[in-house]
């Protein structure tokens, strides 16, 4: 492959070889310029960053290069909810009205009331996106759809909520609203709150939001069809997709999920992994944001993410001490090779003899 590959790997030679096989396959696609892959199996762990040096790419892809997490941010927001609930700052069953200014409370008075737990489990009946964001963001749906969507816009959207069906339905609106409500309850902004309550206690020093001075290294450049694209910016819905993270930090995050008692957030992590509701006609549950399924008596947890220039996957099996993550600076596609690679790596980590 005449693409001037660069790599950076950590301990775990066998796992590194597995990661290299799967990332080589991804990088054979010219639309995917760079990847970072992570794998944990028992005491073995590995991080492999690889990519192409291209004109216009100022940095090498390393294990410490931040990539957009997209909707995997939601798992951090859910952990933030669990941490604040464990402290008594908020209650899981607090109605959203308790943390909204009166004009922003839903005028339809949903019965039962929509709670913070409902937002974290996609069971509040909220649509996937706020209607006023869709109308405003549609002309920039590929380039930057969330730009300039402010808290006052979000409040207008919550005031118009009239949910009828309360079946589990994935909602970026819901988890984005959750992040804003938690920040309001703490009297700060989402980026500061998640850094203080989740990122710092877990030593995720390479994770943050671009443009806020929280990233330790320049982020990777996102791509669509092999061409660089601008980074997405999120304001009121930051809790649904604003975070960037690195391979090194996702390894630490996976280890925290697999071994919560080694962290200061043990109670919150365990609470975030409890199955809460089930999707209709599915074997998959929703915990606090995490998707959950039992395979051969072993619980598996996972989430995916995507923006206009990045794709991400993370999954883990605590009872097997196994986990995997894949980051790529390329937009999700119909065939989703990055997500497929992530699922395969999780299977290899959790069930190596299959």
């Amino acid at each position: 492959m005449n693409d001037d590959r660069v790599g950076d790997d950590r301990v775990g030679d066998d796992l590194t070889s597995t990661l290299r096989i799967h990332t080589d396959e991804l990088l054979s696609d010219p639309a995917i310029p760079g990847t970072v892959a992570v794998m944990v199996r028992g005491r073995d762990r590995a991080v492999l960053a690889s990519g192409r040096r291209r004109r216009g790419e100022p940095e090498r892809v390393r294990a410490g290069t931040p990539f957009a997490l997209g909707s995997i941010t939601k798992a951090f927001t859910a952990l933030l909810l669990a941490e604040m609930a464990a402290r008594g700052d908020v209650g899981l069953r607090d109605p959203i009205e308790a943390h909204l200014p009166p004009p922003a409370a839903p005028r339809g008075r949903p019965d039962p009331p929509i709670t913070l737990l409902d937002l974290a489990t996609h069971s509040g009946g909220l649509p996937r996106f706020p209607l006023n964001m869709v109308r405003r963001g549609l002309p920039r749906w590929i380039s930057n759809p969330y730009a300039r969507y402010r808290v006052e816009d979000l409040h207008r959207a919550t005031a118009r909520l009239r949910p009828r069906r309360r079946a589990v339905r994935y909602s970026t609106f819901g988890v984005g609203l959750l992040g804003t409500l938690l920040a309001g309850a703490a009297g700060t902004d989402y980026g500061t709150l998640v850094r203080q309550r989740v990122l710092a206690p877990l030593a995720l020093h390479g994770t943050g939001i671009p443009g806020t001075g929280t990233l330790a290294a320049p982020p990777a450049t996102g791509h669509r069809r092999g061409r660089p694209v601008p980074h997405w910016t999120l304001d009121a819905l930051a809790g649904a997709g604003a975070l960037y993270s690195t391979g090194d930090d996702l390894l630490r995050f996976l280890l925290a999920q697999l071994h919560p008692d080694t962290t200061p957030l043990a109670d919150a992590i365990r609470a975030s992994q409890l199955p809460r509701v089930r999707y209709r006609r599915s074997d998959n549950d929703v915990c606090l944001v995490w998707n959950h399924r039992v395979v051969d008596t072993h619980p598996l947890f996972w989430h995916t993410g995507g923006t206009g220039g990045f794709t991400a996957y993370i999954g883990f099996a605590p009872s097997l001490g196994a986990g995997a993550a894949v980051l790529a600076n390329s937009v999700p596609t119909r065939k989703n090779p990055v997500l497929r690679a992530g699922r395969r790596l999780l299977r290899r980590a959790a069930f190596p003899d299959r």
Side-chain angles (χ1 to χ4, degrees):
M1 186 184 301
N2 296 320
D3 58 5
D4 195 12
R5 290 282 302 281
V6 293
D8 183 10
D9 62 280
R10 298 293 187 264
V11 298
D13 291 341
D14 180 56
L15 299 190
T16 300
S17 298
T18 301
L19 293 179
R20 184 168 286 112
I21 291 169
H22 289 81
T23 56
D24 278 350
E25 182 177 342
L26 288 176
L27 290 166
S28 67
D29 184 342
I32 302 177
T35 65
V36 178
V38 182
M39 197 170 176
V40 179
R41 183 190 297 149
R43 294 185 178 182
D44 294 330
R45 65 284 311 264
V47 180
L48 181 68
S50 42
R52 304 180 180 92
R53 290 196 185 99
R54 288 184 169 189
R55 189 174 302 171
E57 289 280 344
E59 78 283 344
R60 297 173 64 192
V61 177
R62 297 181 180 273
T65 299
F67 284 63
L69 294 181
S71 287
I72 293 177
T73 301
K74 294 179 173 72
F76 289 80
T77 301
L79 182 54
L80 176 59
L81 169 63
E83 191 274 346
M84 293 181 69
R87 286 193 185 201
D89 296 335
V90 299
L92 291 179
R93 300 194 181 276
D94 285 356
I96 62 173
E97 291 91 335
H99 303 287
L100 282 168
R107 297 169 190 161
R109 298 185 179 276
D111 185 21
I114 302 168
T115 67
L116 301 184
L117 180 62
D118 291 332
L119 298 182
T121 57
H122 303 299
S123 53
L126 278 70
R128 190 177 184 94
F129 301 105
L131 182 59
N132 59 352
M133 191 223 86
V134 174
R135 288 171 176 165
R136 181 178 303 181
L138 196 58
R140 301 184 301 273
W141 201 255
I142 292 174
S143 61
N144 199 357
Y146 298 92
R148 297 189 295 278
Y149 189 76
R150 308 305 186 197
V151 171
E152 52 269 27
D153 301 313
L154 182 62
H155 285 168
R156 281 192 284 270
T158 58
R160 297 188 181 105
L161 282 174
R162 290 175 175 80
R164 294 181 177 87
R165 294 184 60 195
R166 300 293 285 271
V168 181
R169 180 170 62 169
Y170 186 86
S171 177
T172 290
F173 181 2
V175 184
L177 173 62
L178 175 63
T180 295
L181 296 182
L182 295 177
T188 187
D189 61 275
Y190 173 81
T192 299
L193 183 62
V194 75
R195 183 172 67 255
Q196 292 175 344
R197 300 290 190 93
V198 174
L199 305 181
L202 296 181
L204 305 181
H205 303 304
T207 302
I209 300 174
T212 63
T214 57
L215 291 181
T221 300
H223 289 76
R224 179 180 177 83
R225 297 176 181 172
R227 295 184 177 182
V229 294
H231 295 283
W232 281 8
T233 55
L234 291 88
D235 185 358
L237 298 177
L243 287 177
Y244 281 54
S245 191
T246 69
D248 284 338
D249 271 12
L250 287 189
L251 173 59
R252 295 186 188 97
F253 189 59
L254 282 172
L255 292 173
Q257 298 296 329
L258 296 173
H259 309 289
D261 288 337
T262 65
T263 79
L265 302 182
D267 290 342
I269 291 172
R270 283 193 290 266
S272 74
Q273 294 179 6
L274 292 176
R276 308 278 180 166
V277 295
R278 175 159 290 193
Y279 284 107
R280 292 182 63 187
R281 303 187 188 93
S282 172
D283 293 328
N284 296 341
D285 302 305
V286 184
C287 305
L288 296 185
V289 166
W290 290 117
N291 297 297
H292 166 272
R293 186 172 194 157
V294 176
V295 178
D296 292 348
T297 74
H298 297 289
L300 269 61
F301 302 83
W302 74 94
H303 211 284
T304 63
T307 71
F310 293 86
T311 309
Y313 173 92
I314 188 169
F316 55 95
S319 62
L320 296 169
V326 179
L327 304 172
N329 56 337
S330 177
V331 67
T333 62
R334 184 176 300 176
K335 293 183 178 180
N336 281 325
V338 176
L339 304 187
R340 292 205 315 270
R343 289 191 289 265
R344 288 196 300 268
L345 286 172
L346 179 58
R347 286 197 298 269
R348 289 294 302 273
F351 306 108
D353 298 328
R354 291 189 178 182

